[in-house]
Amino acid sequence: MAENQNNGAPRGRRPVKFTFNISWIYILLMFGIGWMFFNQGGANPQKEEWAQVKKQWLAGDIKEVVFIRNEFEGRVTIKPDKLEKFSADFGGKLPKKSPHYIFLVSGSFNAEEMFEELNAQLPENEQVKVVIENHESFWGVLEWLLFPLLLIFMWVFMFRGMNRNMGGGPGGPGGIFNVGKATGKLAEKDSIKVTFKDVAGLYGAKDEVMEIVDFLKNPKKYTALGGKIPKGALLVGPPGTGKTLLAKAVAGEADVPFFSISGSDFVEMFVGVGASRVRDLFRQAKEKSPCIVFIDEIDAVGRARSKNGGFSSNDERENTLNQLLTEMDGFGSNSGVIILAATNRADILDKALMRAGRFDRQIHVELPDLKERKEIFEVHLRNLKLAEDFDVDFIAKHTPGFSGADIANVCNEAALTAARKNKTNIDKQDFLDAVDRIVGGLERKSMMMTSEEKKSTAYHEAGHATVSWLLPYADPLFKVTIVPRGQSLGAAWYLPEERHVSTKEHMIDRMCSLIGGRVADEIFSGQPCTGALSDLERLTKMAYAMVTYYGMSDQVGNLSFYDSNGSRAYEFNRPYSEKTAELIDKEVKELVDMIHDRTEKLIRENYDGFVQLAELLFEKEVIFAEDLERIFGPRAGAAPAEETPKEPEELA
């Protein structure tokens, strides 16, 4: 039986089979190139005039002269014992091969007569050997072409190797010869471990996508009644809110394959590649049906097409978008392929992409509120070694406006901070330090401030703190510091209320808090300084938003020039007249002046507390809300409003 298995070969020996390997081609090519280089070793022949050759001839230095008649070229070989004499012509190195010199002559040169005449002047034993011949051009041309041909062959084989290593080859994705193949990643249903249990918060978004999950699990439940499931859903929200994680959770809950691709992967330098990749992606999706196709950052390919073809247009991107629209239309209503896409710029997407039958619905994934932040913290704190008295509620309250990605970064940074301090666990202070570092930047301990600069910074930050503490609708103050961080010399840390709608009074109080630092500078030193740059920038933007966006100006009226869909992005003219522009500037100037006067009056009325706070800040460098309460008393606050549902206001 053993002989039958070995096909008659002796037991213990296997037949030797030669297999060709592409590496042999590389070895031969490198050998050929090396041979060409080494074959040309030594010094190159030097060009010389015929008069100089005659002198060398008569001096008895020449051993041989080869004259190429059809090229009018002579090649001179010097006697070995005479080479040292001409070493200077070769850069101090003796040439290892002949010829040593080359001379060119005209067509009237009579080689036979000239060479016989020169040999006649020499003794018979010192006469030069003369060879006169014609050269065929074939080998010269072949020698000239050999090196470029070797380079071309090596280039081709290298590209074949790159194509194979990048996943090319027959039917494979990627590679130089397969640029039209979709580069998306396929996760089979057995490999997806993410479910809704792993997604903290996002209650509203999860409720929206549950219908998609239910359809993929029980399609007959809907088709039996004649219902049609939405073909696509667009996840819209700020960066880091968990849009991609939610899409993976949908695939994990539905237990179906999951295709993921980035919008930028469709667009390449080659014409037609994007459209080809779109076709290939949807072809693969149909083969794996039911499945989910997730396109991340779809605004890279789905941006609204320009109405002016010659201005700010990209034909390749638009062709890719057209193919995407066609493929989404080509799906049957019950094909079992669901398209999910994510973007944080839904306002710039093409309207054809957003119509019914393509992306039927938009699912908003907003920044987490207090309850959701707590749940997200609990997810990321599972693997951290925390102090026994650690309070999750405390850190959740101190991170308003943080996304899920920001919270993950805070947890990691807190762990690193504790490790740098050689702690055995992570406490509350480590998390507060992590928040300070992420929001304000790295503490610049090496920065030296003069006493005057430090006191000026203390009074500046005390102005912010005083105004925000005394005004009821300003953001609640948490901490004030004059420790340099990032680009700032000091900062006032606030815990903004999670308010969806702001009134004119709310915004004025916040603007007073912003300009409090500039007013404090003027009171302290009698003149403004450059430290209020960022404050004035935010103040100006808010003032113009009140007048031009929110209709909070009596003179301008209830007009809004806010461009919500970006349709005026390429317009050079403003949507209002010059007269209106002057009126807007006047209203903004009067609004800012009113806020400045109100803030100055407030600080002067509480001047003693303001100075006490500044001196305390100068001494301690960091103060908290408890210190302000001890100086000014309880913080001013408005009566709590009734909790009635309100439509959230889209802020600019």
Side-chain angles (χ1 to χ4, degrees), residues 21 29 59-60 65 89-90 96 100 107 141 176 183 224 227 242 248 271 278 280 326 337 348 358 409 481 579 640 647:
N21 195 318
L29 290 173
V65 173
D89 295 344
F90 301 95
K96 297 180 180 179
H100 302 131
V141 173
I176 193 66
T183 58
K248 289 183 179 179
V271 177
V278 171
D280 188 68
T326 303
V337 179
I348 65 173
R358 292 191 176 117
N409 193 22
T481 177
K579 185 178 180 180
E647 288 293 326

Side-chain angles (χ1 to χ4, degrees), residues 2 12 23 32 66 98 171 220 232 243 264 273 284 319 386 389 398 416 438 458 470 476 516 535 584 603 610:
S23 301
V66 178
S98 60
K220 294 182 179 180
K243 298 184 293 293
S264 60
V273 170
Q284 296 181 42
N319 290 338
L386 303 174
D389 59 344
H398 286 76
L416 297 178
I438 292 172
L470 297 175
D535 301 328
I584 291 173
I603 294 179
F610 161 69

Side-chain angles (χ1 to χ4, degrees), residues 304-407:
R305 291 163 288 185
S306 176
K307 296 180 181 179
N308 188 348
F311 181 76
S312 186
S313 64
N314 188 329
D315 291 338
E316 176 61 16
R317 181 183 58 78
E318 292 185 2
N319 290 338
T320 305
L321 174 58
N322 291 334
Q323 186 63 45
L324 178 62
L325 298 175
T326 303
E327 292 291 340
M328 292 187 69
D329 259 348
F331 275 114
S333 58
N334 302 312
S335 63
V337 179
I338 303 296
I339 311 299
L340 296 180
T343 181
N344 55 356
R345 295 293 309 278
D347 56 310
I348 65 173
L349 294 181
D350 197 276
K351 292 182 179 180
L353 197 63
M354 307 294 291
R355 73 156 175 83
R358 292 191 176 117
F359 287 115
D360 300 273
R361 50 181 73 176
Q362 295 186 27
I363 301 174
H364 292 271
V365 185
E366 302 294 344
L367 292 172
D369 56 18
L370 177 60
K371 182 181 178 182
E372 292 174 333
R373 290 199 302 274
K374 180 182 176 182
E375 293 182 3
I376 297 173
F377 266 111
E378 290 175 347
V379 171
H380 293 290
L381 294 176
R382 292 173 183 171
N383 300 322
L384 299 183
K385 192 175 181 181
L386 303 174
E388 294 182 358
D389 59 344
F390 183 78
D391 187 7
V392 181
D393 294 314
F394 174 82
I395 194 62
K397 291 178 181 177
H398 286 76
T399 50
F402 278 46
S403 65
D406 295 331
I407 292 174

Side-chain angles (χ1 to χ4, degrees), residues 136-150:
E136 299 291 336
S137 59
F138 174 77
W139 292 106
V141 173
L142 182 62
E143 184 180 4
W144 182 80
L145 290 176
L146 183 59
F147 184 68
L149 288 174
L150 286 174

Side-chain angles (χ1 to χ4, degrees), residues 45-46 48-50 52-54 56-57 61-67 73-79 83 86 90 95 97-104 115 128-129:
Q46 301 295 312
E48 201 172 35
E49 298 293 332
W50 167 243
Q52 188 64 27
V53 174
K54 287 176 64 177
Q56 295 173 349
W57 196 308
D61 299 330
I62 299 177
K63 176 183 178 181
E64 183 184 33
V65 173
V66 178
F67 186 75
E73 178 185 287
R75 300 176 182 180
V76 178
T77 302
I78 305 295
K79 295 178 179 179
L83 281 175
F86 305 99
F90 301 95
K97 64 175 186 177
S98 60
H100 302 131
Y101 292 97
I102 294 176
F103 65 91
L104 300 176
F115 295 160
V128 178
K129 180 181 178 182

Side-chain angles (χ1 to χ4, degrees), residues 209-229:
V209 299
M210 278 300 296
E211 185 177 342
I212 298 175
V213 175
D214 193 32
F215 173 80
L216 292 172
K217 286 185 175 181
N218 308 300
K220 294 182 179 180
K221 174 182 174 183
Y222 297 88
T223 57
L225 299 174
K228 297 180 181 178
I229 195 70

